[in-house]
Amino acid sequence: AAAHGEDAAVVGAVLQRGDDLVVRDLVALEVALHERVGDLGDLVHELLAVLLGLRLQLIGDRDLRAVVARVADAGARYVVSPVFRRSVIEACRARDLAAMPGCFTPTEILDAWDAGADIVKVFPATTLGPSYLKDVRAPLPQVKLMPTGGVTVEHAGDWIRAGAVAVGVGTSLLDATAIEAGHLHVFEANAERMIADVRAASGHEQL
């Protein structure tokens, strides 16, 4: 399972309270980059206690290859993007970063996989449902898929049963309001419930 958040301060608060849980069971942390490239180094170094990646939301005229290089220099280990850009995958390959582009249709998914994606992020998964993953994997069993956007704590396991190799969970797991109020037990309870569901779905209840 992977957690992703928009606010580094919120993510930092979670890590201070539950870093062991994140490292052991959530496996990965994704922090949205948006246009905040200036303080990228400080942001990444603060969070390098866990397996860290940066999500690229920079789709305009910005030189994405240069941004990937800065992400790599800052210490990130993978790049997750909302869309498929071949240049981003090529830049990731050059810097030994895992590439996880966002795709929606089977054609996009296969094109991204053939271009060298390590995992294809199915996004947005809100309106698709787990059955979509199952249908896509029938003719494309070799492709590793990670649904993101609309995945909830309650139904994370359903996506694993449908063939996902991981799930990306955001606001359903990281309740910003509760966390900012200091109620980090809400995060811990959500994480424990989601992890148990994912373990059961993958057949690793004892891991």
Side-chain angles (χ1 to χ4, degrees):
H4 59 85
E6 302 290 329
D7 190 332
V10 172
V11 174
V14 170
L15 293 183
Q16 288 178 3
R17 170 72 175 269
D19 55 323
D20 289 341
L21 178 64
V22 174
V23 171
R24 184 179 67 252
D25 291 324
L26 288 184
V27 179
L29 174 66
E30 172 190 332
V31 178
L33 183 57
H34 296 298
E35 297 291 335
R36 297 173 300 179
V37 182
D39 61 348
L40 177 59
D42 291 341
L43 172 62
V44 175
H45 289 303
E46 288 175 5
L47 300 175
L48 272 180
V50 299
L51 180 61
L52 177 67
L54 270 292
R55 178 173 58 186
L56 287 180
Q57 296 283 21
L58 311 173
I59 314 174
D61 296 330
R62 189 181 294 276
D63 183 352
L64 291 181
R65 290 177 180 272
V67 175
V68 170
R70 293 196 63 182
V71 166
D73 290 341
R77 301 181 184 180
Y78 59 89
V79 168
V80 185
S81 55
V83 296
F84 166 43
R85 287 290 182 267
R86 192 176 301 271
S87 60
V88 173
I89 294 179
E90 291 172 351
C92 287
R93 298 262 74 79
R95 297 301 300 264
D96 197 28
L97 295 178
M100 305 179 194
C103 300
F104 191 76
T105 69
T107 299
E108 285 182 314
I109 289 170
L110 184 58
D111 282 349
W113 183 257
D114 288 344
D118 296 276
I119 294 175
V120 177
K121 167 179 149 178
V122 180
F123 174 81
T126 310
T127 60
L128 299 176
S131 61
Y132 180 75
L133 246 66
K134 188 175 182 180
D135 291 342
V136 170
R137 291 195 72 254
L140 303 174
Q142 76 278 20
V143 179
K144 296 179 180 179
L145 301 175
M146 178 181 71
T148 302
V151 178
T152 65
V153 168
E154 294 78 12
H155 301 295
D158 294 339
W159 293 95
I160 300 297
R161 294 182 187 93
V165 298
V167 292
V169 186
T171 55
S172 178
L173 175 64
L174 294 172
D175 185 327
T177 300
I179 292 171
E180 289 172 353
H183 302 153
L184 297 185
H185 62 278
V186 174
F187 159 74
E188 293 173 343
N190 286 342
E192 289 174 1
R193 185 166 36 146
M194 184 186 70
I195 290 165
D197 191 23
V198 168
R199 282 177 170 174
S202 58
H204 299 301
E205 292 91 338
Q206 302 305 317
L207 293 183

